[in-house]
Each structure stands twice: as C-alpha cells, then as structure tokens.
C-alpha cells in the first residue's frame, strides 16, 4: 500500500499532528513554518542552532519532542543546505530524508510544511508531487520473504498532509506513480525462485482483473513457436521455468495508435553456458526490472485513466545452463526472419527483446519504447544515476529526456550512429548477438535497432539505475516516473 496524501492549510503552531515537518537552511535561516514554530516556542529552534545541535545540513534531520507552545507532538527539522544552492535535487533529497525519518517513527500520520518552500523553475504541482513520491519511496518496506512477525502495536506511517497551494492533479499523479513504482520495486526485490515467468504472468493477470479496462493475454511456449520467436525461445531452452510473453492492453484513446512498452523480464540471468562469475550473480534477480518497470508504468497510466492506448509487453524468461540450453555458435531464427549467431549466451536480453519488439509491431504502435537491464557497459559509462537513452528519433529522445529531468528520474543519451552497426557482423548469420570490445551499451542498442526499423523507437538501458548496489540494495522502481511522465505529457 502506498501512503495516502492530502492537502491542508493547517498552521504549524496549532496543528494537532503527530509530527510537523519543517525546514532549516545551513545559514541558520528558517523556513516560514519553522519561523512560526520558533516564535511560538520561545525560540526553541534558534537555541538549538546557536548551540550547534542543528546545522541545517542537507540530508540530515533533527527530531524535537513536546515543544511548549506547539500543538504537534513532534517537530521534525529537516536540513535544506545552503539557501543559494537550494534546487530541485536538493528539495528531493531533503524530502527523502524527511520520509526516512518519519518512516522510522511510531506514528501513522504527519503534516509537512516543506511544500511551502519555493524551488526555482518548478511549480506548486511539481513540489507537492515530488514531495509525495520522495516520502513514499522511503516508506516502502520489503517484507515478503521474512518470517511473519507478530503484529506490533507500533503505528506505521500511512498518511501525509502537505501544506501549500491547491496543486490540482498533483496528488493523484503522485499516488498513481507511487503505486507503479512500488509494483516495480516489489517485483524486482522478490527472489527468482518466487518471481519467475509464471509469477509475473500471474501478477499481470491479477492486475487486469483488479482494474476495469485492462485486457491481459499471456503467450505460452507453443504460441511463441507458432509465431516463430526462435530467438526468445532459444534463451528459454536451458530453464525448467517456461517462458511467458505477457501482453497487457489499455484502451483509453479510442482508435489512436498505441504506445508500446516493451520490458526485459529475465527473472534470473545466470549467463547460461557463458556462465557469469559467482561474485555478484545474486544481483541478476534484478534482470527483470525492465519488465517490472513497464508493468509499473502501465499500472500508473491505467490508474490515471490516461486518454491514450497502451500495449505493455513483458518478455519473461529465465537464462539458465543445462543439457538443453542454447550454446555459443548456435544460430537462431527470430520472428522477424533475421538469423542471429549466438556468440555469448550472456548477451540474452537483446535476444528476447528482439522478438518482443517484432511482436509489438503487430499492434501498429505509434511509438515503441523498451526498458532493459541490458549491459554492464552502460553501468561503466553512466553509473547508477542516469539511465542510458538511445534513439534515432530526435523528438522522442528529447521528450524522454525532458520527462526524466522533470521527475528527477533522469536519462542521458548515447549515440546510436550507424558507424557502430558493423561490429555486429557475422560470418554465419544476419547478425551476431555480440559487438566488439568497446561501446557495449551502444552495440546492444544497435542490435535492437535491427528489429525496429520503420518505427519511432527508443531504448532505455536501466542496468545501473534499476537497483541500488550492494548486498542490501533494493530495486528503485526506475524508470516508472520517467515513463509515466512521458505518457502524461502525451495527453496534454
Ligand atoms: N543482465 C546483464 C547486464 C547487466 C550486468 C546488468 C551487470 C547489470 C549489471 C546482461 O544480460 C549481460 O549479461 N550483458 C553482458 C553482455 C555481454 C556478454 C556482451 C554484459 O554486460 O557483460
Ligand atoms: Mn546476461
Ligand atoms: Zn541479462
């Protein structure tokens, strides 16, 4: 469950809330609401600033209890950093810290005045929506595979009221995006012995039965055989878990051509016979985050009842080695008719996506976007903060970059020039599934481009952005905010 969000015009001194959230900058300057609490409490905040207890550093917060003269049970002071440097990223960071601190308190609700602060270049709707999403992100807890705990008496954060301008559809958008992000995160975090292709199909069917207007079809191995998806089926051969091609449709836009969202759903990537090294292999449960992101985006769009048509295709396959597995040097025939020489069974993402992209074209989409944890090379190039964007369509690329900037779910464009294409030449097939030594993110996209010619298409490589690194790293839910924003913008 996401948090529930509301707007309020409450006063910081008199609001009877379990926690009032206000901000302080590093130069000791207080936000309007913090100022009023300070005045009503005989200078309690200024005193803490003078003693050095409260610095206002961005990313920090301080909890004050039972201030005299204040109705709120607690006041959470959130550091905003230097006022001159306070921008959208700082706002997002400060709200994230507020969400972290609130989620660790034994309270069910809080009232947040940080949404009264101005952020250069962003309007009231952006401020409220960004605040809601930042707090909800921190409130999420992964619990699915822990021993069930006795219900504790401790309250859990369930709702947040924001103070500020009437922000129109901002809260509705925040709720829809938060649900999409949470779905993507939960699917990403679940272990691959639970979240296998069958499980993803079950979740998609459940989504369709819970929401009016969604139709769901799942293509089984035999269906894919009939369609000639030899590339996707090649990857699936080594796994005891049968592949599923999950197709969800939303018809909010009459007879308009749909937007097609295609996601890489490798529920576990062992590398296949080109086996990955053991260290870090557990992270390859996240190799279905492209599919999870597309399912999350689809959910958000449906919850907003966007007036457009959508086809969401999740290619759900497990990449495993066994006696039946596909091999390096195998030649596969894709649904497009192009043959593919397998040079490395660990370059499997492009092999399932090419057939999913060809299948997407049967819906005559106006735009095709895919998201995939496709290459380690993208992580080397861009790290964890930017998703890689590759497209030959200038307008589409600009729209996606803009949507990323506005949601702070940012992408960075890499070139997709034809110069790179020759690295995929093969002596035995139309194309090889492996490029040369360099520019691995780009040559992977080049491979996909061979299966999208004639279409407006963009590829998002989310190998770095889809989850946080380390043993305790969780799925991030990216690129749900970026893509949901992109779709919202298409309805304006
Ligand atoms: N799922 C991986 C890409 C990946 C690696 C994502 C590390 C996140 C972190 C993908 O299937 C893969 O194995 N790619 C290979 C491609 C290579 C064999 C051309 C890679 O990036 O090493
Ligand atoms: Mn791989
Ligand atoms: Zn993979």
């Amino acid at each position: 469950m996401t948090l529930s969000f509301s707007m309020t015009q409450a006063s910081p001194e008199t609001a009877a809330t379990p926690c009032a959230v206000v901000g302080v900058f590093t130069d000791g300057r207080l936000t309007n609401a913090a100022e009023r609490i300070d005045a009503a409490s005989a200078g309690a905040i200024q005193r803490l600033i003078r003693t050095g207890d409260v610095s206002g550093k961005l990313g920090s917060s301080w909890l004050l209890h039972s201030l005299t003269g204040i109705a709120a049970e607690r006041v959470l002071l959130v550091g905003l950093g230097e006022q001159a440097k306070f921008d959208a990223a700082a706002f997002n960071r400060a709200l994230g810290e507020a969400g972290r601190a609130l989620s660790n308190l034994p309270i069910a609700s809080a009232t947040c005045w940080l949404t009264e602060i101005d952020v250069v270049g962003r309007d009231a709707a952006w401020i409220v929506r960004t605040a809601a999403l930042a707090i909800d992100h921190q409130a999420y807890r992964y619990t699915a595979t822990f021993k069930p705990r006795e219900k504790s008496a401790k309250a859990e954060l369930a709702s947040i009221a924001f103070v500020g301008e009437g922000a129109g559809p901002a809260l509705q958008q925040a709720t829809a995006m938060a649900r999409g992000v949470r779905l993507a995160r939960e699917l990403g975090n679940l272990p691959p012995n639970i979240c296998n292709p069958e499980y993803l199909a079950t979740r998609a069917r459940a989504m369709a039965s819970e929401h009016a207007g969604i139709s769901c079809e799942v293509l089984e191995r035999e269906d894919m055989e009939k369609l000639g998806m030899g590339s996707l089926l090649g990857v699936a051969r080594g796994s005891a878990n049968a592949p599923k091609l999950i197709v969800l449709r939303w018809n909010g836009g009459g007879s308009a051509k749909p937007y097609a969202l295609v996601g890489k759903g490798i529920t576990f990537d062992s590398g296949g016979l080109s086996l990955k090294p053991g260290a870090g292999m557990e992270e390859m449960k996240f190799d279905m985050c492209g599919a999870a992101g597309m399912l999350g985006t689809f959910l958000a769009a449906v919850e907003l009842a966007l007036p457009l048509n959508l086809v969401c295709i999740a290619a759900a396959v497990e990449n495993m080695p066994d006696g039946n597995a596909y091999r390096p040097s195998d030649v596969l025939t894709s649904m497009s008719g192009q043959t593919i020489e397998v040079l490395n069974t660990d370059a499997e993402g492009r092999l399932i996506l090419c057939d999913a992209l060809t299948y997407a074209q049967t819906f005559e989409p106006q735009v095709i976007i895919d998201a995939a944890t496709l290459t380690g090379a993208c992580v080397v190039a861009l790290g964890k903060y930017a998703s890689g964007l590759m497209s030959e369509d200038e307008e589409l690329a600009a729209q996606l970059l803009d949507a990323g900037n506005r949601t702070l779910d940012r992408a960075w464009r890499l070139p997709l020039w034809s110069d790179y294409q020759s690295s995929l030449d093969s002596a035995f097939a139309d194309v090889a599934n492996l490029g040369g030594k360099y520019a691995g993110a780009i040559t992977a996209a080049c491979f996909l481009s061979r299966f999208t010619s004639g279409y407006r298409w963009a590829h998002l490589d989310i190998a770095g952005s889809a989850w946080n690194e380390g043993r305790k790293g969780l799925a991030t839910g990216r690129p749900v905010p970026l893509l949901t924003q992109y779709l919202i913008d298409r309805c304006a």
Side-chain angles (χ1 to χ4, degrees), residues 332-351:
L332 307 174
T333 302
S334 66
M335 181 178 171
S336 75
Q338 294 175 85
T339 60
I340 303 162
E341 183 188 14
V342 177
L343 289 176
N344 189 316
T345 63
D346 197 13
E348 85 298 338
R350 61 198 78 181
L351 294 176

Side-chain angles (χ1 to χ4, degrees), residues 264 266 269 271 274 276 283-284 286-287 319 344-350 373-379 384 433-436 440 443-444 461-464 467:
K264 170 178 174 182
I266 294 287
D269 182 12
S274 311
K276 285 184 181 295
E283 292 193 41
M284 286 299 115
F286 293 117
D287 213 18
N319 187 23
N344 189 316
T345 63
D346 197 13
E348 85 298 338
R350 61 198 78 181
T373 49
L374 203 61
T375 65
C378 189
V379 193
K384 307 292 287 180
N433 83 328
L434 200 61
T443 57
D461 193 330
I462 58 167
W467 71 91

